[in-house]
Amino acid sequence: MRPPVILEPSTTYSSNSSSYSPSSDRRLNTIAKHFVNHVQMDSHNISPSPTASSDSVFAQIVRAPEDAILGVTVAYNKDTSPIKLNLGVGAYRTEEGKPLVLDVVRRVEHQLFTDGSRNKEYIPIVGLADFNKLSAKLIFGADSPAIQENRVTTVQGLSGTGSLRVGGEFLAKHYHERVIYLPQPTWGNHIKVFTLAGLTVKTYRYYAPATRGLDFQGLLEDLGAAPSGSVVLLHACAHNPTGVDPTLEQWEQIRQMIRSKSLLPFFDSAYQGFASGSLDADAQPIRLFVADGGELLAAQSYAKNMGLYGERVGALSIVCKSADVASRVESQLKLVIRPMYSSPPIHGASIVAAILKDRDLYNEWTIELKAMADRIINMRQQLFDALRARGTPGDWSHIIKQIGMFTFTGLNPEQVSFMTKEYHIYMTSDGRISMAGLSSRTVSHLADAIHAAVTQVA
Ligand code: PLA
């Protein structure tokens, strides 16, 4: 073996290095040529190492566990049983158990496809201007004073997750308080998203297992005890995983507490329209906070309400006190986004903008959205009735009281794993089931499994 070629320090250069000179440049070229020849001459002698993994520079890497939610789908895909049922990830399915592309989305995609004037140029760092404006209008309301006063900055994000991450990194870089309070429990990914963004995660009480409802007193106490200025993550509607939302009166009290302690609300709106079937009703909590003139962040996702899961389309809005602050905030958001993924993708945002822009398409969307929300609500009733019919021990009324995509059943990890093993039903180990993955055909299978789990597994 020949010794490796080492570039001497004097041969490296940068534009401001005093060591750069025409002679060192020539020397660098000579060495580079030598190196190329050396590699070419030796390349036919190279054979793969038989000792494979122990030689790897990555040999010390330990296998990571699958994601608590997306890993359920991985396990489901490996199951060959014809009766298998995936109620893990929150992804809408039709009565036939198939993924759904909304008719209005198909129509718009066809229009986009046949429009010869469209191209695939990069879009701005902050995304499509129309998409951003219309997204803010959708969440804050067409008559929002904050929008009229130009106090909102909205940037396109990589669905809900990417929008949360950009918001988190912006706060870690520019906000005076680095602590974010998350509800206990919350969507598991929140913890990782905000920790990796550079914030410190703490929790506030949210869910009371005994009542399977909101621990409102605990929530107010914990927010009341949080250091002034802390960030508070709030699920705008359809809390994941519990399906438990505050009432509007409770939201008003939460708002008063947050504002009186100068906490900074960060809304995660992943299910607008999916909870009640009404886009406006589901945005009410956020609009309460905007109406008081205070500041907040809001991450939106079009994964569920437009069925655009894999298109990764969402938005981050920051409502500020003045137009001047909002425009400076936007300039800094660009500095967060540019080194992260440069600029967002064009396709999904074009679909959303086309639908939000056109009155007929918008109306068509709201009808399809309501149909999805209604089907989920109907599944709750069917599952509740099926358990009642079987005389399954326990009070199952939380199934019809909870709202949104998920039911937090109260089943323990042993019961969940029993249902997976014996009934091929896949769900997260915390007992959460995606009601959107259930259909009239599969509800009796699920009820049988729950009945068996509850009566046979402690
Ligand atoms: N926020 C909450 C509260 C969510 O439940 C989800 C998705 C997101 C944000 C992010 O969604 P997006 O990035 O796709 O827009 N939660 C799902 C999927 C539906 C997941 O875990 O990624 C879930 O099954 O919980």
Short mmCIF file of all heavy atoms in Angstrom, two decimals, residues 69-70 88-90 159-161 164 187 190 235 240 268 270-271 301 303-304 312 406 432, ligand 1:
data_model
loop_
_atom_site.label_atom_id
_atom_site.label_comp_id
_atom_site.label_asym_id
_atom_site.label_seq_id
_atom_site.Cartn_x
_atom_site.Cartn_y
_atom_site.Cartn_z
N ILE A 69 -45.94 5.78 16.88
CA ILE A 69 -47.17 5.83 16.07
C ILE A 69 -46.93 5.22 14.68
O ILE A 69 -47.61 4.28 14.28
CB ILE A 69 -47.67 7.29 15.92
CG1 ILE A 69 -48.06 7.85 17.31
CG2 ILE A 69 -48.85 7.36 14.95
CD1 ILE A 69 -48.43 9.32 17.33
N LEU A 70 -45.92 5.73 13.96
CA LEU A 70 -45.69 5.23 12.60
C LEU A 70 -45.17 3.79 12.61
O LEU A 70 -45.37 3.04 11.64
CB LEU A 70 -44.75 6.17 11.85
CG LEU A 70 -45.25 7.63 11.74
CD1 LEU A 70 -44.30 8.48 10.91
CD2 LEU A 70 -46.65 7.71 11.15
N GLY A 88 -53.85 2.57 14.15
CA GLY A 88 -52.71 3.28 14.76
C GLY A 88 -52.66 4.73 14.31
O GLY A 88 -53.20 5.62 14.97
N VAL A 89 -52.03 4.96 13.19
CA VAL A 89 -51.87 6.34 12.71
C VAL A 89 -53.24 6.96 12.38
O VAL A 89 -54.16 6.27 11.96
CB VAL A 89 -50.94 6.38 11.47
CG1 VAL A 89 -51.56 5.72 10.27
CG2 VAL A 89 -50.51 7.81 11.15
N GLY A 90 -53.35 8.25 12.60
CA GLY A 90 -54.59 8.97 12.29
C GLY A 90 -54.67 9.29 10.81
O GLY A 90 -54.25 10.35 10.37
N SER A 159 -46.10 20.61 6.29
CA SER A 159 -47.25 20.12 7.04
C SER A 159 -47.23 20.65 8.48
O SER A 159 -46.56 21.66 8.76
CB SER A 159 -47.30 18.59 6.97
OG SER A 159 -48.66 18.15 7.01
N GLY A 160 -47.99 20.01 9.36
CA GLY A 160 -48.05 20.51 10.73
C GLY A 160 -46.70 20.38 11.44
O GLY A 160 -46.23 21.32 12.09
N THR A 161 -46.07 19.22 11.27
CA THR A 161 -44.81 18.96 11.97
C THR A 161 -43.74 20.01 11.62
O THR A 161 -43.09 20.57 12.50
CB THR A 161 -44.27 17.56 11.59
OG1 THR A 161 -45.32 16.62 11.75
CG2 THR A 161 -43.10 17.16 12.44
N LEU A 164 -44.47 23.38 13.14
CA LEU A 164 -44.16 23.41 14.57
C LEU A 164 -42.66 23.56 14.78
O LEU A 164 -42.18 24.30 15.63
CB LEU A 164 -44.63 22.11 15.25
CG LEU A 164 -46.15 21.91 15.37
CD1 LEU A 164 -46.47 20.45 15.71
CD2 LEU A 164 -46.75 22.83 16.41
N TRP A 187 -49.46 14.62 21.73
CA TRP A 187 -48.92 13.90 20.57
C TRP A 187 -47.42 13.67 20.83
O TRP A 187 -46.70 14.63 21.10
CB TRP A 187 -49.14 14.75 19.32
CG TRP A 187 -48.63 14.17 18.05
CD1 TRP A 187 -48.85 12.92 17.56
CD2 TRP A 187 -47.81 14.85 17.07
NE1 TRP A 187 -48.22 12.78 16.34
CE2 TRP A 187 -47.59 13.94 16.02
CE3 TRP A 187 -47.27 16.13 16.98
CZ2 TRP A 187 -46.83 14.28 14.89
CZ3 TRP A 187 -46.52 16.47 15.87
CH2 TRP A 187 -46.30 15.54 14.83
N HIS A 190 -44.45 15.92 19.65
CA HIS A 190 -44.24 17.29 20.15
C HIS A 190 -42.96 17.38 20.98
O HIS A 190 -42.20 18.35 20.86
CB HIS A 190 -45.41 17.68 21.07
CG HIS A 190 -46.61 18.19 20.35
ND1 HIS A 190 -47.89 18.01 20.84
CD2 HIS A 190 -46.75 18.89 19.19
CE1 HIS A 190 -48.75 18.57 20.01
NE2 HIS A 190 -48.09 19.10 19.00
N HIS A 235 -53.56 22.39 21.88
CA HIS A 235 -54.17 21.74 20.72
C HIS A 235 -55.43 22.55 20.39
O HIS A 235 -56.34 22.66 21.23
CB HIS A 235 -54.57 20.30 21.04
CG HIS A 235 -53.41 19.38 21.31
ND1 HIS A 235 -53.31 18.12 20.74
CD2 HIS A 235 -52.31 19.53 22.08
CE1 HIS A 235 -52.19 17.54 21.16
NE2 HIS A 235 -51.58 18.37 21.98
N ASN A 240 -55.12 15.40 20.65
CA ASN A 240 -54.52 14.09 20.37
C ASN A 240 -53.54 13.76 21.49
O ASN A 240 -52.63 14.54 21.74
CB ASN A 240 -53.78 14.19 19.02
CG ASN A 240 -53.06 12.91 18.66
OD1 ASN A 240 -53.20 11.88 19.30
ND2 ASN A 240 -52.26 12.98 17.62
N ASP A 268 -51.41 24.33 18.07
CA ASP A 268 -51.21 23.30 17.06
C ASP A 268 -52.58 22.97 16.49
O ASP A 268 -53.43 22.40 17.19
CB ASP A 268 -50.56 22.05 17.68
CG ASP A 268 -50.32 20.96 16.64
OD1 ASP A 268 -50.67 21.17 15.45
OD2 ASP A 268 -49.78 19.90 17.01
N ALA A 270 -54.03 20.82 13.90
CA ALA A 270 -53.83 19.74 12.93
C ALA A 270 -55.16 19.19 12.43
O ALA A 270 -55.19 18.35 11.52
CB ALA A 270 -53.01 18.61 13.56
N TYR A 271 -56.27 19.64 13.03
CA TYR A 271 -57.57 18.99 12.74
C TYR A 271 -58.70 19.98 12.52
O TYR A 271 -59.85 19.66 12.79
CB TYR A 271 -57.93 18.05 13.91
CG TYR A 271 -56.90 16.96 14.13
CD1 TYR A 271 -55.90 17.09 15.08
CD2 TYR A 271 -56.91 15.80 13.34
CE1 TYR A 271 -54.95 16.10 15.27
CE2 TYR A 271 -55.97 14.80 13.52
CZ TYR A 271 -54.98 14.97 14.48
OH TYR A 271 -54.04 13.99 14.65
N SER A 301 -52.10 22.35 9.63
CA SER A 301 -51.81 21.21 8.76
C SER A 301 -53.00 20.98 7.83
O SER A 301 -54.15 21.10 8.25
CB SER A 301 -51.60 19.96 9.61
OG SER A 301 -51.63 18.79 8.81
N ALA A 303 -53.03 18.03 6.27
CA ALA A 303 -52.95 16.57 6.09
C ALA A 303 -54.34 15.95 6.22
O ALA A 303 -54.78 15.21 5.35
CB ALA A 303 -51.99 15.98 7.10
N LYS A 304 -55.00 16.25 7.33
CA LYS A 304 -56.27 15.60 7.61
C LYS A 304 -57.44 16.28 6.92
O LYS A 304 -58.23 15.63 6.24
CB LYS A 304 -56.51 15.56 9.13
CG LYS A 304 -55.95 14.35 9.81
CD LYS A 304 -54.43 14.26 9.84
CE LYS A 304 -53.79 15.25 10.79
NZ LYS A 304 -52.35 15.04 11.01
N ARG A 312 -47.38 17.00 2.42
CA ARG A 312 -46.68 17.78 3.43
C ARG A 312 -46.94 19.28 3.25
O ARG A 312 -46.04 20.06 2.91
CB ARG A 312 -45.16 17.50 3.40
CG ARG A 312 -44.79 16.03 3.38
CD ARG A 312 -45.42 15.22 4.49
NE ARG A 312 -44.97 15.59 5.81
CZ ARG A 312 -45.78 15.57 6.89
NH1 ARG A 312 -47.03 15.19 6.80
NH2 ARG A 312 -45.32 15.92 8.06
N PHE A 406 -59.53 10.56 17.28
CA PHE A 406 -59.14 9.45 18.15
C PHE A 406 -60.09 9.21 19.32
O PHE A 406 -60.71 10.15 19.81
CB PHE A 406 -57.74 9.72 18.73
CG PHE A 406 -56.71 9.95 17.66
CD1 PHE A 406 -56.22 11.22 17.40
CD2 PHE A 406 -56.26 8.90 16.88
CE1 PHE A 406 -55.29 11.45 16.40
CE2 PHE A 406 -55.31 9.11 15.87
CZ PHE A 406 -54.83 10.39 15.63
N ARG A 432 -54.90 4.35 22.38
CA ARG A 432 -55.55 5.26 21.44
C ARG A 432 -55.97 4.50 20.19
O ARG A 432 -55.18 3.73 19.65
CB ARG A 432 -54.57 6.37 21.07
CG ARG A 432 -55.14 7.43 20.19
CD ARG A 432 -54.06 8.35 19.62
NE ARG A 432 -53.46 7.80 18.41
CZ ARG A 432 -52.70 8.49 17.56
NH1 ARG A 432 -52.39 9.74 17.83
NH2 ARG A 432 -52.19 7.93 16.48
N1 PLA B 1 -49.99 17.81 15.52
C1 PLA B 1 -50.80 16.87 15.99
C2 PLA B 1 -51.54 17.11 17.25
C3 PLA B 1 -50.97 15.67 15.28
O1 PLA B 1 -51.78 14.74 15.75
C4 PLA B 1 -50.24 15.47 14.08
C5 PLA B 1 -50.37 14.18 13.30
C6 PLA B 1 -49.41 16.50 13.64
C7 PLA B 1 -49.31 17.67 14.39
C8 PLA B 1 -48.58 16.43 12.41
O2 PLA B 1 -49.22 16.14 11.26
P1 PLA B 1 -48.59 16.47 9.84
O3 PLA B 1 -47.17 16.83 10.03
O4 PLA B 1 -48.79 15.26 9.05
O5 PLA B 1 -49.39 17.63 9.37
N2 PLA B 1 -50.61 13.02 14.04
C9 PLA B 1 -50.89 11.74 13.38
C10 PLA B 1 -49.77 11.30 12.46
C11 PLA B 1 -52.15 11.83 12.56
C12 PLA B 1 -48.40 11.29 13.04
O6 PLA B 1 -48.19 10.85 14.17
O7 PLA B 1 -47.49 11.74 12.29
C13 PLA B 1 -51.10 10.70 14.49
O8 PLA B 1 -51.42 9.54 14.16
O9 PLA B 1 -51.00 11.07 15.67
#
